[in-house]
Amino acid sequence: MLVEVVLTAVLAVLLWAAFFRRPEGLPPGRWGLPVFGYIPLTRKSMEEQILDLHKKHGDIVIWRMGNQLMVFISDYQLGKEALARADFANRPDWEMFKFLEDFPLGVGASNGAHWHANRRFTLRQLRDLGMGKSKLVAGIQEQATKLVERLKQQANQAAPVPHALKVAVVNVIWNMVAGKMFEMEDKRLAEFDKLLQDLNAATFALGVRDFFPGLKYLPKFLQNLLFSMDLVEGFKEKFLAFFDEVVNEHRASLDPNNPGDLVDAYLLEMKEGSESPDVIRSEKDLGLLVLDLFFAGSETTTNTLTFMVQYLAMHPDIQKTMQEEIDQVLPKGTLATLEDKARLPYTEAVLHEILRLSSLLPVGAQHSAVTDTQLGGYFIPKGTTISTSAVFMHSDPRYWEKPEALKPERWLDENGKFTTKKEGFMPFGSGKRVCLGESLARMELLIFATAMLQSLSFAPPPGATLDVTADPAIPMFHTPRKQDVFITLR
Ligand code: HEM
């Protein structure tokens, strides 16, 4: 009997040491209980708790949740170093990234050789199709003109920023990807958009399933109920079915000597076959790659412009200065081109302040440690999730004086010239997986913003104020609150 007790005790100690012991040299923070990790018992949001952790423990902290060890970095230099390193280039193996695929496809969730090939392919295609070049300007201007016409229709009424803004932004990327545009009132796009909003709101619940892998064995109806799995499946299936039609049309008209868009170029690569066994070339991969671009390329730019409208409505003096600059540089009826950027320093400064204050991805997009490694003098085990707390960096008093204030002047030198102040600023991420559409987004922000402010002014509805803080219903993305604004014609 004694031998059995001793053996059981030894086994328990060995199991504990193998699975539950806190490894030496980890950053400080929340380790918590075996199996569960640290489960917070507070009404504070995840973002507020991460900020508290940074305040208490410093620039690099851990939070173990279920089986997932997460590291959060709030120091700009350390975050930049981590994102530049190949040993942090992977994405975590999370369903919310992978869209329930066993092998992560597309570009935003994939890893290794497959990700490299898709990232290279997508960047090349977007550049060939005009990203960052004047070739694309006319297309963005056309969408900006349509958007302004639509906004004019709601002049002198209290109403939210209309869905037409999303359509105009989607059309820019959709035209590059599939050579198509949606009508301003397109029902199918509105349906996708509604599904995307529901998905965004469900991200946190999906995360719980990723952190406690045992939950994957629960009956399907319970998983649907608890983690909105049916939402993810439904969205993916709807999008892929819609995309199937797009691919069939492209197949029918494919001209090998003259690929017109990204889908054409991918179909041609598919015909040639993959360059390596680790790189998959399939219609599903193409579908998920396009879904990444559709999602990453529309939500972000639309939300930045909506935040801009709301901030400017609350800061009429800044709006007026911006309009005066636009009027001087772009006589009415003239839309901005890339060459005008240097002549619009105040506008550029306002857009940078909006990107800083809105911090759309408050803790960045998660990366994962490819191998056991070190960061900031701490041990980081393989598989640890790395998040860069952009919201903290963007309000860090080491880089920003009065960080909570909308102060375009902080981006201007004594001659009023725009200074690309990079320290402490990371809205597009950095390093290996830096936003693939950054220069497209910058083109869109400049052209859409100047077109809107040239013809329109924004204010809160009479007697009201606007809340420019992010919508708490969507925890992991900063999304503007749905609230009325009051548009007047200039
Ligand atoms: C204001 C607009 C935008 C913001 C603030 C933004 C921000 C970001 C951030 C923070 C990341 C994560 C970087 C990382 O993992 O470290 C990212 C990734 C990405 N963005 Fe953007 N983005 C914007 C617009 C766009 C547009 C227009 C496109 C369309 C081409 C796009 C496509 C992507 C893709 C495909 C990735 C994943 C890259 C990868 O995993 O290799 N983004 N973006």
Side-chain angles (χ1 to χ4, degrees), residues 83 89-91 107-110 115 119 122 126 131 169 173 176-177 289 292-305 355 358-361 364-367 388 390 426-442 444-445:
L83 296 180
N90 272 6
R91 289 276 185 234
V107 65
S110 56
W115 165 68
R119 188 170 165 104
T122 311
L126 294 182
M131 182 168 82
V169 169
I173 184 80
M176 296 169 92
V177 166
L289 169 62
D292 284 341
L293 296 176
F294 187 87
F295 180 52
S298 60
E299 283 297 289
T300 46
T301 312
T302 310
N303 286 344
T304 308
L305 287 168
L355 283 167
S358 57
S359 296
L360 294 187
L361 278 87
Q366 282 59 51
H367 289 225
T388 37
M426 209 188 261
F428 295 98
S430 175
K432 300 271 177 231
R433 292 194 94 123
V434 66
C435 174
L436 198 148
E438 176 173 349
S439 46
L440 175 62
R442 287 178 179 279
E444 291 183 278
L445 292 179

Short mmCIF file of all heavy atoms in Angstrom, two decimals, residues 83 89-91 107-110 115 119 122 126 131 169 173 176-177 289 292-305 355 358-361 364-367 388 390 426-442 444-445, ligand 1:
data_model
loop_
_atom_site.label_atom_id
_atom_site.label_comp_id
_atom_site.label_asym_id
_atom_site.label_seq_id
_atom_site.Cartn_x
_atom_site.Cartn_y
_atom_site.Cartn_z
N LEU A 83 8.42 41.81 -33.73
CA LEU A 83 7.72 41.64 -35.01
C LEU A 83 8.70 41.50 -36.18
O LEU A 83 8.33 40.98 -37.24
CB LEU A 83 6.76 42.81 -35.24
CG LEU A 83 5.62 42.92 -34.22
CD1 LEU A 83 4.74 44.12 -34.53
CD2 LEU A 83 4.77 41.66 -34.19
N ALA A 89 7.25 34.95 -36.41
CA ALA A 89 6.48 35.30 -37.62
C ALA A 89 5.21 34.46 -37.79
O ALA A 89 4.35 34.81 -38.60
CB ALA A 89 7.36 35.14 -38.87
N ASN A 90 5.06 33.39 -37.04
CA ASN A 90 3.86 32.55 -37.23
C ASN A 90 2.61 33.20 -36.66
O ASN A 90 2.69 34.06 -35.79
CB ASN A 90 4.06 31.20 -36.52
CG ASN A 90 4.73 30.18 -37.42
OD1 ASN A 90 5.15 30.50 -38.53
ND2 ASN A 90 4.85 28.95 -36.94
N ARG A 91 1.45 32.72 -37.14
CA ARG A 91 0.19 33.03 -36.47
C ARG A 91 -0.14 31.87 -35.54
O ARG A 91 0.23 30.72 -35.83
CB ARG A 91 -0.95 33.12 -37.49
CG ARG A 91 -0.90 34.33 -38.36
CD ARG A 91 -1.51 35.55 -37.72
NE ARG A 91 -1.52 36.63 -38.69
CZ ARG A 91 -1.00 37.82 -38.47
NH1 ARG A 91 -0.45 38.13 -37.31
NH2 ARG A 91 -1.05 38.75 -39.39
N VAL A 107 -3.60 34.13 -46.57
CA VAL A 107 -2.36 34.84 -46.20
C VAL A 107 -2.35 35.29 -44.74
O VAL A 107 -1.31 35.26 -44.09
CB VAL A 107 -2.10 36.03 -47.17
CG1 VAL A 107 -3.17 37.11 -47.05
CG2 VAL A 107 -0.74 36.64 -46.96
N GLY A 108 -3.51 35.66 -44.20
CA GLY A 108 -3.54 36.24 -42.86
C GLY A 108 -3.29 35.22 -41.76
O GLY A 108 -2.80 35.56 -40.69
N ALA A 109 -3.64 33.94 -41.99
CA ALA A 109 -3.53 32.92 -40.94
C ALA A 109 -2.44 31.90 -41.21
O ALA A 109 -2.09 31.13 -40.33
CB ALA A 109 -4.87 32.18 -40.82
N SER A 110 -1.92 31.88 -42.44
CA SER A 110 -1.03 30.77 -42.83
C SER A 110 0.38 31.01 -42.29
O SER A 110 0.71 32.10 -41.80
CB SER A 110 -1.02 30.63 -44.35
OG SER A 110 -0.66 31.85 -44.94
N TRP A 115 2.64 30.61 -46.37
CA TRP A 115 2.42 32.05 -46.12
C TRP A 115 3.37 32.91 -46.96
O TRP A 115 2.93 33.88 -47.60
CB TRP A 115 2.61 32.34 -44.62
CG TRP A 115 2.76 33.82 -44.33
CD1 TRP A 115 1.81 34.78 -44.47
CD2 TRP A 115 3.95 34.47 -43.90
NE1 TRP A 115 2.34 36.01 -44.13
CE2 TRP A 115 3.65 35.85 -43.77
CE3 TRP A 115 5.24 34.04 -43.57
CZ2 TRP A 115 4.60 36.80 -43.36
CZ3 TRP A 115 6.17 34.98 -43.15
CH2 TRP A 115 5.85 36.34 -43.04
N ARG A 119 2.04 35.61 -49.52
CA ARG A 119 2.32 37.02 -49.24
C ARG A 119 3.06 37.66 -50.42
O ARG A 119 2.71 38.75 -50.87
CB ARG A 119 3.12 37.14 -47.93
CG ARG A 119 3.27 38.58 -47.50
CD ARG A 119 3.83 38.73 -46.11
NE ARG A 119 4.25 40.11 -45.96
CZ ARG A 119 3.60 41.04 -45.26
NH1 ARG A 119 2.52 40.74 -44.61
NH2 ARG A 119 4.03 42.28 -45.22
N THR A 122 0.61 38.01 -53.35
CA THR A 122 -0.40 39.06 -53.16
C THR A 122 0.23 40.46 -53.28
O THR A 122 -0.33 41.34 -53.95
CB THR A 122 -1.07 38.92 -51.77
OG1 THR A 122 -1.47 37.57 -51.61
CG2 THR A 122 -2.27 39.81 -51.63
N LEU A 126 -0.90 43.16 -56.02
CA LEU A 126 -1.47 44.46 -55.63
C LEU A 126 -0.62 45.61 -56.18
O LEU A 126 -1.14 46.63 -56.62
CB LEU A 126 -1.63 44.58 -54.11
CG LEU A 126 -2.65 43.62 -53.47
CD1 LEU A 126 -2.75 43.87 -51.97
CD2 LEU A 126 -4.04 43.76 -54.09
N MET A 131 -1.22 49.43 -56.42
CA MET A 131 -1.12 49.84 -55.01
C MET A 131 0.09 50.76 -54.83
O MET A 131 1.20 50.40 -55.20
CB MET A 131 -0.99 48.61 -54.12
CG MET A 131 -0.92 48.96 -52.65
SD MET A 131 -1.12 47.54 -51.57
CE MET A 131 0.55 46.87 -51.58
N VAL A 169 -15.21 51.53 -50.15
CA VAL A 169 -13.90 50.98 -49.77
C VAL A 169 -13.74 49.57 -50.33
O VAL A 169 -12.70 49.22 -50.91
CB VAL A 169 -13.74 51.01 -48.23
CG1 VAL A 169 -12.52 50.22 -47.80
CG2 VAL A 169 -13.64 52.44 -47.73
N ILE A 173 -10.78 47.43 -53.41
CA ILE A 173 -10.03 46.17 -53.33
C ILE A 173 -10.67 45.09 -54.22
O ILE A 173 -9.99 44.31 -54.87
CB ILE A 173 -9.87 45.70 -51.84
CG1 ILE A 173 -9.00 44.44 -51.73
CG2 ILE A 173 -11.16 45.44 -51.15
CD1 ILE A 173 -7.56 44.71 -51.80
N MET A 176 -9.56 45.27 -57.74
CA MET A 176 -8.19 44.75 -57.95
C MET A 176 -8.20 43.21 -57.90
O MET A 176 -7.50 42.55 -58.65
CB MET A 176 -7.25 45.27 -56.86
CG MET A 176 -7.07 46.76 -56.87
SD MET A 176 -6.23 47.33 -55.39
CE MET A 176 -4.53 47.30 -55.94
N VAL A 177 -9.02 42.69 -57.02
CA VAL A 177 -9.02 41.24 -56.81
C VAL A 177 -9.81 40.53 -57.91
O VAL A 177 -9.34 39.54 -58.48
CB VAL A 177 -9.63 40.92 -55.42
CG1 VAL A 177 -9.96 39.45 -55.29
CG2 VAL A 177 -8.66 41.33 -54.33
N LEU A 289 -7.75 33.40 -49.35
CA LEU A 289 -6.85 34.54 -49.57
C LEU A 289 -7.67 35.80 -49.89
O LEU A 289 -7.45 36.89 -49.34
CB LEU A 289 -5.88 34.21 -50.71
CG LEU A 289 -5.03 35.32 -51.29
CD1 LEU A 289 -4.10 35.89 -50.24
CD2 LEU A 289 -4.19 34.81 -52.45
N ASP A 292 -9.43 37.06 -46.88
CA ASP A 292 -8.51 37.85 -46.04
C ASP A 292 -8.45 39.30 -46.53
O ASP A 292 -8.51 40.25 -45.73
CB ASP A 292 -7.07 37.29 -46.12
CG ASP A 292 -6.90 36.02 -45.31
OD1 ASP A 292 -7.72 35.77 -44.43
OD2 ASP A 292 -5.93 35.28 -45.59
N LEU A 293 -8.31 39.45 -47.84
CA LEU A 293 -8.17 40.81 -48.39
C LEU A 293 -9.47 41.58 -48.23
O LEU A 293 -9.47 42.78 -47.90
CB LEU A 293 -7.77 40.75 -49.87
CG LEU A 293 -6.41 40.13 -50.14
CD1 LEU A 293 -6.14 40.02 -51.63
CD2 LEU A 293 -5.30 40.96 -49.48
N PHE A 294 -10.57 40.88 -48.46
CA PHE A 294 -11.90 41.48 -48.36
C PHE A 294 -12.12 41.99 -46.93
O PHE A 294 -12.55 43.11 -46.70
CB PHE A 294 -12.89 40.37 -48.69
CG PHE A 294 -14.31 40.79 -48.80
CD1 PHE A 294 -14.81 41.24 -50.00
CD2 PHE A 294 -15.16 40.69 -47.72
CE1 PHE A 294 -16.13 41.60 -50.12
CE2 PHE A 294 -16.48 41.04 -47.83
CZ PHE A 294 -16.98 41.51 -49.03
N PHE A 295 -11.76 41.15 -45.96
CA PHE A 295 -11.98 41.46 -44.55
C PHE A 295 -10.99 42.53 -44.09
O PHE A 295 -11.37 43.59 -43.61
CB PHE A 295 -11.81 40.16 -43.76
CG PHE A 295 -12.00 40.30 -42.28
CD1 PHE A 295 -13.14 40.90 -41.78
CD2 PHE A 295 -11.05 39.81 -41.40
CE1 PHE A 295 -13.32 41.03 -40.41
CE2 PHE A 295 -11.22 39.94 -40.03
CZ PHE A 295 -12.36 40.54 -39.54
N ALA A 296 -9.67 42.23 -44.29
CA ALA A 296 -8.63 43.15 -43.79
C ALA A 296 -8.69 44.47 -44.53
O ALA A 296 -8.34 45.52 -43.98
CB ALA A 296 -7.25 42.52 -43.95
N GLY A 297 -9.11 44.43 -45.80
CA GLY A 297 -9.05 45.63 -46.62
C GLY A 297 -10.28 46.50 -46.52
O GLY A 297 -10.28 47.63 -47.00
N SER A 298 -11.36 46.01 -45.91
CA SER A 298 -12.57 46.84 -45.89
C SER A 298 -12.89 47.34 -44.50
O SER A 298 -13.11 48.53 -44.28
CB SER A 298 -13.76 46.07 -46.47
OG SER A 298 -14.02 44.91 -45.71
N GLU A 299 -12.86 46.44 -43.50
CA GLU A 299 -13.21 46.85 -42.13
C GLU A 299 -12.33 48.00 -41.65
O GLU A 299 -12.80 48.99 -41.12
CB GLU A 299 -12.96 45.66 -41.19
CG GLU A 299 -14.01 44.59 -41.23
CD GLU A 299 -15.35 45.11 -40.80
OE1 GLU A 299 -15.56 45.38 -39.62
OE2 GLU A 299 -16.20 45.27 -41.71
N THR A 300 -11.01 47.80 -41.84
CA THR A 300 -10.03 48.73 -41.27
C THR A 300 -10.17 50.15 -41.84
O THR A 300 -10.30 51.11 -41.09
CB THR A 300 -8.62 48.21 -41.61
OG1 THR A 300 -8.62 47.84 -42.99
CG2 THR A 300 -8.24 47.01 -40.77
N THR A 301 -10.19 50.24 -43.18
CA THR A 301 -10.22 51.58 -43.79
C THR A 301 -11.57 52.25 -43.49
O THR A 301 -11.63 53.45 -43.18
CB THR A 301 -9.98 51.46 -45.31
OG1 THR A 301 -8.85 50.62 -45.52
CG2 THR A 301 -9.74 52.79 -45.95
N THR A 302 -12.66 51.47 -43.56
CA THR A 302 -13.99 52.04 -43.27
C THR A 302 -14.06 52.55 -41.83
O THR A 302 -14.55 53.65 -41.57
CB THR A 302 -15.09 50.96 -43.46
OG1 THR A 302 -14.90 50.33 -44.71
CG2 THR A 302 -16.47 51.54 -43.39
N ASN A 303 -13.54 51.73 -40.91
CA ASN A 303 -13.62 52.16 -39.50
C ASN A 303 -12.75 53.39 -39.24
O ASN A 303 -13.12 54.27 -38.47
CB ASN A 303 -13.21 51.01 -38.57
CG ASN A 303 -14.30 49.95 -38.50
OD1 ASN A 303 -15.44 50.20 -38.89
ND2 ASN A 303 -13.97 48.77 -38.04
N THR A 304 -11.58 53.47 -39.90
CA THR A 304 -10.73 54.66 -39.71
C THR A 304 -11.47 55.91 -40.20
O THR A 304 -11.47 56.95 -39.53
CB THR A 304 -9.39 54.50 -40.48
OG1 THR A 304 -8.80 53.26 -40.12
CG2 THR A 304 -8.42 55.62 -40.16
N LEU A 305 -12.10 55.80 -41.38
CA LEU A 305 -12.80 56.98 -41.92
C LEU A 305 -14.02 57.34 -41.06
O LEU A 305 -14.34 58.52 -40.89
CB LEU A 305 -13.20 56.72 -43.38
CG LEU A 305 -12.02 56.75 -44.36
CD1 LEU A 305 -12.42 56.20 -45.73
CD2 LEU A 305 -11.47 58.19 -44.53
N LEU A 355 -5.44 57.57 -36.87
CA LEU A 355 -4.90 56.20 -36.81
C LEU A 355 -4.35 55.92 -35.41
O LEU A 355 -4.50 54.83 -34.87
CB LEU A 355 -3.79 56.01 -37.85
CG LEU A 355 -4.25 55.83 -39.29
CD1 LEU A 355 -3.08 55.98 -40.27
CD2 LEU A 355 -4.90 54.47 -39.50
N SER A 358 -7.43 55.92 -32.78
CA SER A 358 -8.41 54.84 -32.94
C SER A 358 -7.77 53.47 -32.65
O SER A 358 -8.45 52.56 -32.20
CB SER A 358 -9.04 54.87 -34.33
OG SER A 358 -8.05 54.78 -35.33
N SER A 359 -6.47 53.30 -32.89
CA SER A 359 -5.78 52.02 -32.62
C SER A 359 -6.69 50.83 -32.94
O SER A 359 -7.09 50.08 -32.04
CB SER A 359 -5.33 51.94 -31.16
OG SER A 359 -4.39 52.91 -30.88
N LEU A 360 -7.02 50.66 -34.20
CA LEU A 360 -8.05 49.69 -34.60
C LEU A 360 -7.80 48.29 -34.06
O LEU A 360 -8.72 47.58 -33.70
CB LEU A 360 -8.12 49.60 -36.12
CG LEU A 360 -8.59 50.82 -36.88
CD1 LEU A 360 -8.76 50.48 -38.35
CD2 LEU A 360 -9.89 51.37 -36.32
N LEU A 361 -6.53 47.87 -34.08
CA LEU A 361 -6.22 46.56 -33.49
C LEU A 361 -5.48 46.83 -32.18
O LEU A 361 -4.26 46.93 -32.14
CB LEU A 361 -5.33 45.72 -34.45
CG LEU A 361 -6.12 45.01 -35.55
CD1 LEU A 361 -6.31 45.92 -36.75
CD2 LEU A 361 -5.42 43.75 -35.97
N GLY A 364 -2.86 44.50 -31.52
CA GLY A 364 -2.28 44.00 -32.77
C GLY A 364 -2.98 42.73 -33.24
O GLY A 364 -4.03 42.35 -32.73
N ALA A 365 -2.37 42.09 -34.25
CA ALA A 365 -2.85 40.77 -34.68
C ALA A 365 -1.84 39.78 -34.10
O ALA A 365 -0.63 40.02 -34.19
CB ALA A 365 -2.87 40.69 -36.20
N GLN A 366 -2.33 38.72 -33.51
CA GLN A 366 -1.44 37.86 -32.73
C GLN A 366 -0.42 37.11 -33.59
O GLN A 366 -0.73 36.67 -34.70
CB GLN A 366 -2.26 36.83 -31.93
CG GLN A 366 -2.90 37.41 -30.69
CD GLN A 366 -3.84 38.55 -30.99
OE1 GLN A 366 -4.71 38.43 -31.84
NE2 GLN A 366 -3.65 39.67 -30.31
N HIS A 367 0.79 37.01 -33.04
CA HIS A 367 1.86 36.19 -33.63
C HIS A 367 2.12 35.04 -32.68
O HIS A 367 1.62 35.03 -31.54
CB HIS A 367 3.13 37.02 -33.79
CG HIS A 367 3.04 38.07 -34.85
ND1 HIS A 367 4.02 38.30 -35.76
CD2 HIS A 367 2.06 38.97 -35.15
CE1 HIS A 367 3.67 39.28 -36.57
NE2 HIS A 367 2.48 39.71 -36.21
N THR A 388 1.26 42.78 -29.59
CA THR A 388 1.88 44.09 -29.35
C THR A 388 0.76 45.08 -29.01
O THR A 388 -0.13 45.31 -29.83
CB THR A 388 2.64 44.56 -30.61
OG1 THR A 388 1.90 44.14 -31.75
CG2 THR A 388 4.02 43.97 -30.67
N ALA A 390 -0.71 47.93 -29.19
CA ALA A 390 -0.64 49.20 -29.93
C ALA A 390 -1.36 50.31 -29.18
O ALA A 390 -0.90 51.46 -29.15
CB ALA A 390 -1.25 49.03 -31.32
N MET A 426 2.39 52.50 -34.49
CA MET A 426 2.41 51.20 -35.12
C MET A 426 1.01 50.74 -35.56
O MET A 426 0.59 49.62 -35.27
CB MET A 426 2.97 50.20 -34.10
CG MET A 426 3.68 49.03 -34.70
SD MET A 426 4.09 47.83 -33.45
CE MET A 426 5.77 48.22 -33.13
N PRO A 427 0.25 51.62 -36.24
CA PRO A 427 -1.14 51.21 -36.56
C PRO A 427 -1.19 50.06 -37.56
O PRO A 427 -2.18 49.33 -37.60
CB PRO A 427 -1.75 52.48 -37.17
CG PRO A 427 -0.60 53.25 -37.68
CD PRO A 427 0.57 52.94 -36.80
N PHE A 428 -0.15 49.92 -38.39
CA PHE A 428 -0.16 48.87 -39.41
C PHE A 428 0.72 47.68 -38.99
O PHE A 428 1.07 46.85 -39.82
CB PHE A 428 0.34 49.43 -40.75
CG PHE A 428 -0.56 50.49 -41.32
CD1 PHE A 428 -0.28 51.83 -41.16
CD2 PHE A 428 -1.72 50.13 -42.01
CE1 PHE A 428 -1.12 52.81 -41.68
CE2 PHE A 428 -2.56 51.11 -42.53
CZ PHE A 428 -2.26 52.45 -42.37
N GLY A 429 1.07 47.60 -37.72
CA GLY A 429 2.00 46.55 -37.29
C GLY A 429 3.39 46.92 -37.76
O GLY A 429 3.68 48.08 -38.10
N SER A 430 4.26 45.92 -37.84
CA SER A 430 5.65 46.18 -38.20
C SER A 430 6.30 44.85 -38.57
O SER A 430 5.76 43.79 -38.25
CB SER A 430 6.33 46.82 -36.97
OG SER A 430 7.70 47.00 -37.18
N GLY A 431 7.44 44.92 -39.23
CA GLY A 431 8.24 43.71 -39.44
C GLY A 431 7.68 42.74 -40.46
O GLY A 431 7.05 43.12 -41.44
N LYS A 432 7.90 41.45 -40.18
CA LYS A 432 7.64 40.38 -41.16
C LYS A 432 6.21 40.37 -41.68
O LYS A 432 5.96 40.07 -42.84
CB LYS A 432 7.91 39.01 -40.53
CG LYS A 432 9.32 38.82 -40.06
CD LYS A 432 10.18 38.26 -41.17
CE LYS A 432 11.61 38.13 -40.73
NZ LYS A 432 12.57 38.73 -41.63
N ARG A 433 5.24 40.61 -40.79
CA ARG A 433 3.84 40.49 -41.20
C ARG A 433 3.18 41.86 -41.25
O ARG A 433 1.93 41.95 -41.17
CB ARG A 433 3.08 39.56 -40.27
CG ARG A 433 3.50 38.11 -40.36
CD ARG A 433 2.51 37.18 -39.69
NE ARG A 433 1.55 36.66 -40.64
CZ ARG A 433 1.34 35.34 -40.88
NH1 ARG A 433 2.03 34.43 -40.24
NH2 ARG A 433 0.44 34.96 -41.75
N VAL A 434 3.96 42.91 -41.41
CA VAL A 434 3.38 44.26 -41.45
C VAL A 434 2.23 44.29 -42.46
O VAL A 434 2.26 43.55 -43.45
CB VAL A 434 4.47 45.31 -41.79
CG1 VAL A 434 5.00 45.14 -43.20
CG2 VAL A 434 3.96 46.72 -41.59
N CYS A 435 1.24 45.12 -42.19
CA CYS A 435 0.04 45.17 -43.05
C CYS A 435 0.43 45.18 -44.52
O CYS A 435 1.20 46.02 -44.97
CB CYS A 435 -0.77 46.41 -42.73
SG CYS A 435 -2.16 46.63 -43.84
N LEU A 436 -0.16 44.26 -45.22
CA LEU A 436 0.16 44.07 -46.63
C LEU A 436 -0.48 45.17 -47.49
O LEU A 436 -0.06 45.42 -48.62
CB LEU A 436 -0.40 42.70 -46.96
CG LEU A 436 -0.02 41.89 -48.12
CD1 LEU A 436 -0.13 40.43 -47.74
CD2 LEU A 436 -0.96 42.16 -49.24
N GLY A 437 -1.50 45.82 -46.94
CA GLY A 437 -2.22 46.83 -47.73
C GLY A 437 -1.95 48.24 -47.25
O GLY A 437 -2.72 49.15 -47.58
N GLU A 438 -0.85 48.46 -46.51
CA GLU A 438 -0.62 49.79 -45.92
C GLU A 438 -0.66 50.90 -46.96
O GLU A 438 -1.34 51.92 -46.77
CB GLU A 438 0.71 49.82 -45.14
CG GLU A 438 1.01 51.20 -44.60
CD GLU A 438 2.23 51.25 -43.68
OE1 GLU A 438 2.75 50.18 -43.29
OE2 GLU A 438 2.66 52.38 -43.35
N SER A 439 0.05 50.73 -48.07
CA SER A 439 0.08 51.88 -49.01
C SER A 439 -1.25 52.04 -49.72
O SER A 439 -1.63 53.17 -50.07
CB SER A 439 1.26 51.82 -49.98
OG SER A 439 1.39 50.57 -50.52
N LEU A 440 -2.00 50.95 -49.89
CA LEU A 440 -3.35 51.08 -50.46
C LEU A 440 -4.24 51.86 -49.46
O LEU A 440 -4.96 52.79 -49.84
CB LEU A 440 -3.95 49.69 -50.73
CG LEU A 440 -5.39 49.67 -51.20
CD1 LEU A 440 -5.55 50.39 -52.52
CD2 LEU A 440 -5.89 48.23 -51.35
N ALA A 441 -4.15 51.47 -48.19
CA ALA A 441 -4.96 52.13 -47.16
C ALA A 441 -4.64 53.63 -47.10
O ALA A 441 -5.53 54.47 -47.02
CB ALA A 441 -4.72 51.48 -45.81
N ARG A 442 -3.34 53.96 -47.19
CA ARG A 442 -2.94 55.38 -47.11
C ARG A 442 -3.49 56.17 -48.29
O ARG A 442 -3.91 57.31 -48.16
CB ARG A 442 -1.42 55.50 -47.03
CG ARG A 442 -0.87 55.07 -45.67
CD ARG A 442 0.64 55.17 -45.67
NE ARG A 442 1.22 54.80 -44.40
CZ ARG A 442 1.31 55.60 -43.33
NH1 ARG A 442 0.83 56.83 -43.39
NH2 ARG A 442 1.86 55.18 -42.21
N GLU A 444 -6.22 55.43 -49.98
CA GLU A 444 -7.67 55.55 -49.81
C GLU A 444 -8.01 56.62 -48.77
O GLU A 444 -8.91 57.44 -48.98
CB GLU A 444 -8.25 54.22 -49.37
CG GLU A 444 -8.20 53.15 -50.44
CD GLU A 444 -8.86 51.87 -49.99
OE1 GLU A 444 -8.22 51.07 -49.28
OE2 GLU A 444 -10.02 51.67 -50.34
N LEU A 445 -7.27 56.61 -47.65
CA LEU A 445 -7.59 57.58 -46.59
C LEU A 445 -7.45 59.00 -47.12
O LEU A 445 -8.32 59.84 -46.90
CB LEU A 445 -6.66 57.37 -45.38
CG LEU A 445 -6.87 56.05 -44.60
CD1 LEU A 445 -5.88 55.96 -43.44
CD2 LEU A 445 -8.29 55.93 -44.07
C1 HEM B 1 -6.45 51.80 -42.04
C2 HEM B 1 -6.33 50.66 -42.64
C3 HEM B 1 -5.56 49.45 -42.13
C4 HEM B 1 -5.00 49.20 -40.90
C5 HEM B 1 -5.00 50.10 -39.67
C6 HEM B 1 -4.40 47.88 -40.97
C7 HEM B 1 -3.71 47.28 -39.93
C8 HEM B 1 -3.14 46.01 -39.99
C9 HEM B 1 -2.43 45.37 -38.90
C10 HEM B 1 -2.18 45.98 -37.52
C11 HEM B 1 -2.05 44.15 -39.33
C12 HEM B 1 -1.34 43.06 -38.51
C13 HEM B 1 0.14 43.07 -38.72
C14 HEM B 1 0.80 41.96 -37.92
O1 HEM B 1 0.37 40.81 -37.95
O2 HEM B 1 1.76 42.25 -37.18
C15 HEM B 1 -2.52 43.99 -40.69
C16 HEM B 1 -2.33 42.86 -41.46
C17 HEM B 1 -2.84 42.71 -42.73
N1 HEM B 1 -3.48 43.66 -43.50
FE1 HEM B 1 -3.94 45.54 -42.91
N2 HEM B 1 -4.62 47.37 -42.22
C18 HEM B 1 -5.31 48.28 -42.97
C19 HEM B 1 -5.70 48.17 -44.29
C20 HEM B 1 -5.50 47.06 -45.09
C21 HEM B 1 -5.88 46.96 -46.48
C22 HEM B 1 -6.53 48.06 -47.32
C23 HEM B 1 -5.56 45.69 -46.90
C24 HEM B 1 -5.79 45.12 -48.27
C25 HEM B 1 -4.94 44.77 -49.09
C26 HEM B 1 -4.95 45.00 -45.75
C27 HEM B 1 -4.48 43.70 -45.77
C28 HEM B 1 -3.83 43.08 -44.70
C29 HEM B 1 -3.40 41.69 -44.72
C30 HEM B 1 -3.62 40.69 -45.86
C31 HEM B 1 -2.76 41.45 -43.49
C32 HEM B 1 -2.12 40.14 -43.02
C33 HEM B 1 -0.65 40.13 -43.40
C34 HEM B 1 0.07 38.84 -43.03
O3 HEM B 1 -0.40 38.12 -42.14
O4 HEM B 1 1.13 38.59 -43.62
N3 HEM B 1 -4.93 45.88 -44.69
N4 HEM B 1 -3.17 45.15 -41.07
#
